Amino acid sequence: MVDNRYATAIVIGSVLSLLATVYLSVAVGTQHWYQYCSPPAVGEANASELRSLQEEFMDGDFDEKTYSDTLFRLNGTMGLWWRCVLVPTHTHWYKEPDPKMVTECVSFTLPQQFVPKYKEPGNHNSGEDLIRTCLCTLATVCCYLAGMDLLHRVSVLPEGVDGSLGWSLYLALISSPLHMMAAALLVWAARSHKQNYYRMTAYRVA
């Protein structure tokens, strides 16, 4: 017969494990791990520059400096597998007080996850930054945060750009302690039930 304490621990542990798995699954598939708030375009020249960044971001070669600069300038968001920018729907958007904007995303392919990162982003002659390469490649939650911090240290953020953690990252952060609590409960239940079984067996034999 299973003690109520063990049954309760197993149920609670299973629920916590399920919640943690759902949170982490949702977080991994989204682009809202980190987000930037960029100042609006001022004048046609600035708008043209931003349009060029958008085109290179969507269709150009994969390059850390290129996509990072675009994320900085176009209200970008980034996750483990996606990088996105907020772009206008038509050409003369900068003349409107409240232009209509849409989100355009590009995925990180598996080979791109293992692309080396350099001490000076975009400068292949500066040498590979092994710390950032190891941390940022298929990183865990804490390593992802460290990787973003290191990126900002070697990059120059444009004036007026602010970065902040996205809601997906908070989900991933919540899932970690939930998994640990679930594991602790299930291990406790298994060990306690095993010890109780041995005691009952010894009592019956005696």
Side-chain angles (χ1 to χ4, degrees):
M1 183 176 179
V2 180
D3 191 293
N4 286 338
R5 293 175 301 168
Y6 311 142
T8 302
I10 291 172
V11 170
I12 295 175
S14 300
V15 171
L16 289 176
S17 180
L18 178 61
L19 284 174
T21 302
V22 170
Y23 287 166
L24 188 59
S25 299
V26 171
V28 167
T30 65
Q31 74 273 15
H32 298 285
W33 283 56
Y34 203 88
Q35 58 195 19
Y36 298 97
C37 182
S38 314
V42 180
E44 186 173 356
N46 185 215
S48 178
E49 180 188 359
L50 295 180
R51 195 177 305 114
S52 298
L53 284 173
Q54 173 198 349
E55 292 172 356
E56 191 170 4
F57 178 82
M58 299 301 298
D59 304 319
D61 295 332
F62 180 81
D63 178 79
E64 184 186 29
K65 179 170 176 53
T66 300
Y67 75 72
S68 296
D69 287 346
T70 308
L71 291 171
F72 298 157
R73 301 286 300 280
L74 290 175
N75 297 288
T77 57
M78 187 163 62
L80 287 180
W81 294 98
W82 294 95
R83 56 190 192 276
C84 304
V85 291
L86 195 64
V87 296
T89 56
H90 53 84
T91 306
H92 299 288
W93 58 278
Y94 59 92
K95 295 181 180 179
E96 299 180 6
D98 187 21
K100 184 178 180 181
M101 309 292 278
V102 295
T103 301
E104 293 188 355
C105 299
V106 179
S107 65
F108 287 106
T109 64
L110 188 59
Q112 288 171 350
Q113 293 279 8
F114 297 94
V115 170
K117 294 174 175 60
Y118 299 95
K119 295 177 181 178
E120 296 178 12
N123 182 2
H124 294 196
N125 296 323
S126 62
E128 184 178 351
D129 190 334
L130 295 177
I131 296 179
R132 290 202 309 118
T133 298
C134 295
L135 281 174
C136 297
T137 301
L138 292 176
T140 59
V141 177
C142 293
C143 289
Y144 182 89
L145 285 172
M148 292 303 298
D149 181 64
L150 290 171
L151 171 63
H152 295 154
R153 291 186 183 186
V154 297
S155 302
V156 179
L157 270 68
E159 185 178 353
V161 174
D162 293 320
S164 62
L165 305 182
W167 62 266
S168 298
L169 185 55
Y170 286 112
L171 278 183
L173 287 170
I174 292 171
S175 72
S176 183
L178 288 179
H179 269 133
M180 289 189 288
M181 287 189 289
L185 282 170
L186 294 174
V187 168
W188 176 84
R191 288 183 176 178
S192 299
H193 183 62
K194 185 177 181 180
Q195 291 174 358
N196 186 61
Y197 174 78
Y198 285 148
R199 291 193 189 113
M200 291 295 295
T201 301
Y203 174 78
R204 288 175 182 173
V205 171

